[in-house]
Amino acid sequence: MSEITRVALDAMGGDNAPREMVKGAVEAVRKRKDIKVLLTGKEDVIRKELSAYTYPEEQIEIVNATEVIETAEPPVKAIRGKKDSSIVVAMKMVKKGEADAFVSAGSSGAVLVGGQVLVGRIKGVERPPLAPLIPTLKGVSLLIDCGANVDARPSHLVQFAKMGSIYMESVMGKKNPTVGIVNIGAEEEKGNALVKETFPLLKECPDINFIGSVEARDIPYGAADVIVCEAFAGNIILKLYEGVAGALLKKVKKGMLSSLRSKIGALLVKPALKGVLKDFDTSEYGGAPLLGLNGLVVKTHGSSKSKEVCNSIIQCVAFKEQKINEKIKEAIQQETLEEKKEVE
Amino acid sequence: MSEITRVALDAMGGDNAPREMVKGAVEAVRKRKDIKVLLTGKEDVIRKELSAYTYPEEQIEIVNATEVIETAEPPVKAIRGKKDSSIVVAMKMVKKGEADAFVSAGSSGAVLVGGQVLVGRIKGVERPPLAPLIPTLKGVSLLIDCGANVDARPSHLVQFAKMGSIYMESVMGKKNPTVGIVNIGAEEEKGNALVKETFPLLKECPDINFIGSVEARDIPYGAADVIVCEAFAGNIILKLYEGVAGALLKKVKKGMLSSLRSKIGALLVKPALKGVLKDFDTSEYGGAPLLGLNGLVVKTHGSSKSKEVCNSIIQCVAFKEQKINEKIKEAIQQETLEEKKEVE
């Protein structure tokens, strides 16, 4: 039997906590024998939720945490002040090696700050990026960075490209993944100051498959496996993806219900469309990993339901089995060695 | 009878030139008596295209220009070198007041550079923004700036907000249009350095209806009438809008054709869906004006067909009738006066 992956799950975070979090944990352990879920949060509340299910009991453990960090709280203050919150307790377990990974649908800010402050960065990693998978016509792409740290430097983007390539290759099984940088034109001389400075660095980078600039228009068509950008741009891309798809489908639905004829048609196309929309549904792909930390931290949507929670938990197994962090350490160490050589 | 609006049209620019350009001109003068189109480009080619139509001949004039600027040419060099190109000849007519406006589906770079260099900026305007209308569930929003000048300063964004408000109010008839700044969260303390610096300036601005930050997710739902952002972000938003919508519809179509049942359904929903998609089709709204110049310059999609060309030409009438440039001059002058007062 393979090794057990221990995943701490924030039972109190997200719009649908604790119900959907606990349900997601149960679904995960029902599916996989090699997972143990450590539910952090208010013990009595979690126990009550758990009592509704039958599941392999040795695979779920409750770790009591009496406080909850709310989404509106300033992240730094919350992480410092609420030592007994579900987020802080879980992150400390990852730090101590009592858990391999942490999954939360709670406050993005608190998860990002906690990841850096409590779990800590891998030596040499300048900035840990948040890297969600986004659906494309070819499958999925990794959008890196969508985190809270904006105004990145070129060296950050180069590390994002390396870490993203490792993730796509090892976790998603994409051999020699292509890397593109988000730009406003295909030519090398185009772009803002950051992109212009980063472009030649990525071009010279030996351990990635850099294919040049990617225009936003081509991202949904699967222009590159790893889409590198600064967090402000990444956030716009991620949220507009959801926004345009959501708005357009709303319009399509309204159109279909506009006449009797189209209503009948809608009934007939519904099953076929369901599959299509499932492919373009970001929750199918689990949460976004925060890469470059001493342990895995995964942020799922605030609106996550059990399916996404379950997918996010299962995602942690591949991350551990594929030794992603060891690979990131190697890549970053390699970088430092090269820099030293250049200086000498 | 109202005054005539004279629109110079680049007959040689765009993927479908000269055919669709000439056709668009014919459609425009057939629809409106108060428009005169000055077709710039190779006289013999244009004359041949025109001969296929009957139309009020006094409303279309050919202005011979023997050169063509190609999309791939470096814009500054092209504008300087090709003095007898359809773009340069037309822009000079605007500068001299022989035309009120110029519409082109040709090289974006050349149109943006030519606008600044040949037509020239209104005194006090620091940077002329390119401002397309984008479809939303509530109608349309003006996305300002999507131009070629990235790395903007806060004072640029404040002018974009003012010029955008004037356009939405006077040309689109939106009373007291709301203005939002693209940001990665709703709170004032969020954002990159540019947004954080710009936010308080917009808040203090007396002549706009500033409603704060707008997240990209909410743009397609019509979060604000004027969406202010730096050109790099604006370009991402505009192109991702097209990309996500295009990719999703491709998937929907594929889904509908996946079984006999869904194929029959597709036939039934088709007429209803057509209306929906027309609403979400950017070409319905004409081209993007380049604001803040001594005359109107409108850039339409490179792939424009006659419908978009015609809409872009008609758009110029409202721009002239509503005296947009006079209003922009006043707003910018007001700004300079306020600054002077502060210094004194």
Side-chain angles (χ1 to χ4, degrees):
Chain A
M1 197 185 132
S2 66
E3 222 182 320
I4 298 289
T5 302
R6 295 153 307 163
V7 181
L9 175 67
D10 178 4
M12 315 307 288
D15 307 340
N16 306 308
R19 180 141 305 168
E20 295 290 325
M21 303 302 122
V22 171
K23 197 175 163 207
V26 169
E27 286 169 10
V29 298
R30 277 180 183 164
K31 276 191 186 167
R32 303 275 299 233
K33 286 259 155 283
D34 55 354
I35 291 176
K36 180 163 187 181
V37 180
L38 308 157
L39 283 165
T40 64
K42 294 179 179 168
E43 192 170 356
D44 50 339
V45 176
I46 299 173
R47 196 165 299 283
K48 205 180 148 202
E49 288 293 335
L50 266 178
S51 67
Y53 307 99
T54 49
Y55 59 91
E57 296 196 3
E58 68 285 2
Q59 280 183 256
I60 293 188
E61 190 182 318
I62 302 173
V63 179
N64 191 37
T66 57
E67 292 174 296
V68 175
I69 295 177
E70 306 294 341
T71 310
E73 287 182 71
V76 177
K77 204 181 147 198
I79 289 292
R80 281 199 192 136
K82 292 190 167 170
K83 302 255 185 261
D84 201 37
S85 62
S86 54
I87 290 180
V88 173
V89 167
M91 290 227 173
K92 284 190 174 161
M93 289 171 68
V94 175
K95 171 75 180 175
K96 283 186 226 159
E98 293 166 12
D100 300 302
F102 173 47
V103 173
S104 176
S107 155
S108 297
V111 171
L112 293 169
V113 169
Q116 295 205 49
V117 175
L118 300 173
V119 178
R121 282 174 288 157
I122 289 173
K123 204 185 153 191
V125 170
E126 297 178 65
R127 188 182 272 192
L130 188 68
L133 288 167
I134 53 171
T136 73
L137 290 190
K138 287 191 193 161
V140 286
S141 296
L142 191 77
L143 183 65
I144 188 167
D145 173 26
C146 295
N149 293 301
V150 292
D151 297 320
R153 289 201 303 270
S155 61
H156 298 154
L157 265 62
V158 173
Q159 288 196 341
F160 297 169
K162 289 180 185 176
M163 291 191 275
S165 295
I166 292 169
Y167 189 88
M168 278 308 270
E169 176 137 10
S170 301
V171 177
M172 302 306 296
K174 184 88 203 174
K175 286 272 157 267
N176 198 24
T178 52
V179 176
I181 187 166
V182 177
N183 205 352
I184 58 170
E187 304 85 1
E188 189 168 345
E189 69 271 16
K190 284 219 172 165
N192 56 11
L194 176 67
V195 170
K196 280 183 192 163
E197 270 185 71
T198 308
F199 198 101
L201 300 178
L202 288 175
K203 229 172 137 183
E204 284 163 22
C205 198
D207 27 354
I208 61 165
N209 180 13
F210 183 53
I211 57 163
S213 292
V214 165
E215 284 197 79
R217 185 193 286 120
D218 302 322
I219 297 174
Y221 294 90
D225 300 315
V226 179
I227 307 283
V228 172
C229 58
E230 181 270 335
F232 192 83
N235 195 287
I236 289 177
I237 293 168
L238 183 67
K239 290 187 178 161
L240 196 62
Y241 232 84
E242 293 177 23
V244 173
L248 197 60
L249 292 175
K250 213 171 161 180
K251 262 197 116 55
V252 167
K253 265 187 201 161
K254 210 178 149 191
M256 283 185 177
L257 298 177
S258 62
S259 70
L260 182 60
R261 175 186 163 147
S262 62
K263 270 183 200 165
I264 295 166
L267 281 174
L268 294 171
V269 296
K270 208 175 165 189
L273 281 192
K274 258 198 165 167
V276 168
L277 303 182
K278 200 178 153 191
D279 283 350
F280 241 76
D281 175 3
T282 45
S283 68
E284 279 296 312
Y285 307 102
L290 189 58
L291 294 175
L293 298 179
N294 294 312
L296 177 60
V297 172
V298 175
K299 172 70 182 81
T300 67
H301 285 88
S303 57
S304 291
K305 298 236 170 173
S306 63
K307 186 178 70 176
E308 185 173 357
V309 174
C310 170
N311 286 344
S312 298
I313 294 169
I314 290 172
Q315 193 184 359
C316 298
V317 178
F319 196 92
K320 192 193 172 190
E321 279 181 355
Q322 292 296 325
K323 301 189 186 350
I324 302 303
N325 271 2
E326 281 76 358
K327 287 173 187 164
I328 290 178
K329 270 177 208 165
E330 260 172 49
I332 301 297
Q333 212 166 17
Q334 190 60 31
E335 192 176 77
T336 325
L337 285 176
E338 276 159 23
E339 272 167 22
K340 266 192 187 162
K341 246 188 226 164
E342 272 172 34
V343 173
E344 280 166 11
Chain B
M1 197 185 131
S2 65
E3 221 182 321
I4 298 287
T5 301
R6 296 153 306 163
V7 181
L9 175 67
D10 178 5
M12 315 308 287
D15 308 339
N16 307 308
R19 178 141 306 168
E20 296 290 326
M21 304 302 122
V22 171
K23 196 175 165 208
V26 170
E27 286 169 11
V29 298
R30 277 179 183 166
K31 275 191 186 169
R32 303 273 301 232
K33 288 257 157 283
D34 55 354
I35 291 175
K36 180 163 186 181
V37 179
L38 309 156
L39 281 165
T40 65
K42 295 179 180 170
E43 192 169 356
D44 50 338
V45 176
I46 298 173
R47 196 166 301 283
K48 203 179 151 204
E49 287 292 334
L50 266 178
S51 67
Y53 306 99
T54 50
Y55 58 92
E57 296 195 4
E58 68 286 2
Q59 280 182 256
I60 292 187
E61 189 183 320
I62 302 173
V63 179
N64 190 37
T66 57
E67 292 173 297
V68 175
I69 294 178
E70 306 293 341
T71 310
E73 287 183 71
V76 177
K77 204 181 148 199
I79 290 292
R80 281 198 192 136
K82 293 190 167 170
K83 303 255 185 262
D84 201 38
S85 62
S86 55
I87 289 180
V88 172
V89 167
M91 290 226 174
K92 284 189 173 160
M93 290 171 69
V94 175
K95 171 76 179 174
K96 284 187 226 157
E98 292 165 13
D100 300 302
F102 172 48
V103 173
S104 176
S107 156
S108 298
V111 171
L112 292 170
V113 169
Q116 296 204 49
V117 175
L118 301 173
V119 179
R121 281 173 290 156
I122 289 173
K123 203 184 155 193
V125 170
E126 298 179 64
R127 187 181 272 192
L130 188 69
L133 287 167
I134 53 172
T136 72
L137 290 190
K138 287 189 193 161
V140 287
S141 297
L142 191 78
L143 183 64
I144 189 167
D145 173 30
C146 296
N149 293 303
V150 293
D151 297 320
R153 287 200 304 270
S155 60
H156 300 154
L157 267 60
V158 173
Q159 288 195 341
F160 297 169
K162 289 180 186 175
M163 292 192 273
S165 296
I166 291 169
Y167 190 89
M168 278 308 270
E169 178 138 9
S170 301
V171 177
M172 302 305 296
K174 184 90 202 172
K175 285 270 158 269
N176 198 24
T178 53
V179 176
I181 186 166
V182 178
N183 204 352
I184 58 168
E187 304 84 3
E188 189 169 345
E189 70 273 13
K190 285 218 173 165
N192 57 10
L194 176 67
V195 171
K196 280 183 192 164
E197 269 185 71
T198 308
F199 198 101
L201 300 177
L202 289 175
K203 229 172 136 182
E204 284 163 23
C205 198
D207 27 353
I208 60 165
N209 180 13
F210 183 54
I211 57 162
S213 292
V214 165
E215 285 197 77
R217 185 192 287 119
D218 302 322
I219 296 174
Y221 294 90
D225 299 317
V226 179
I227 307 283
V228 172
C229 58
E230 181 269 335
F232 192 84
N235 195 287
I236 289 177
I237 293 169
L238 182 67
K239 291 187 177 162
L240 197 61
Y241 232 85
E242 293 176 23
V244 173
L248 197 60
L249 291 175
K250 213 170 161 182
K251 262 198 113 60
V252 167
K253 265 186 203 160
K254 208 176 150 192
M256 283 184 176
L257 298 176
S258 62
S259 71
L260 182 61
R261 174 186 164 147
S262 62
K263 270 183 200 165
I264 296 167
L267 281 175
L268 294 171
V269 297
K270 208 176 165 188
L273 281 192
K274 258 197 167 168
V276 168
L277 301 183
K278 200 177 155 193
D279 283 349
F280 241 77
D281 176 2
T282 46
S283 67
E284 279 297 311
Y285 307 102
L290 189 57
L291 295 175
L293 298 178
N294 293 313
L296 177 60
V297 172
V298 175
K299 171 70 183 82
T300 68
H301 286 87
S303 58
S304 290
K305 299 238 170 171
S306 64
K307 185 178 70 176
E308 185 172 356
V309 175
C310 171
N311 286 342
S312 298
I313 294 169
I314 291 173
Q315 193 184 358
C316 299
V317 179
F319 195 93
K320 190 192 173 191
E321 278 181 356
Q322 292 296 324
K323 301 187 184 350
I324 301 304
N325 271 1
E326 282 75 359
K327 287 174 187 164
I328 290 178
K329 270 177 208 164
E330 260 173 49
I332 300 296
Q333 213 167 18
Q334 191 58 33
E335 193 175 76
T336 324
L337 285 176
E338 275 159 24
E339 272 166 24
K340 266 191 187 163
K341 246 189 225 164
E342 271 171 34
V343 172
E344 279 166 12

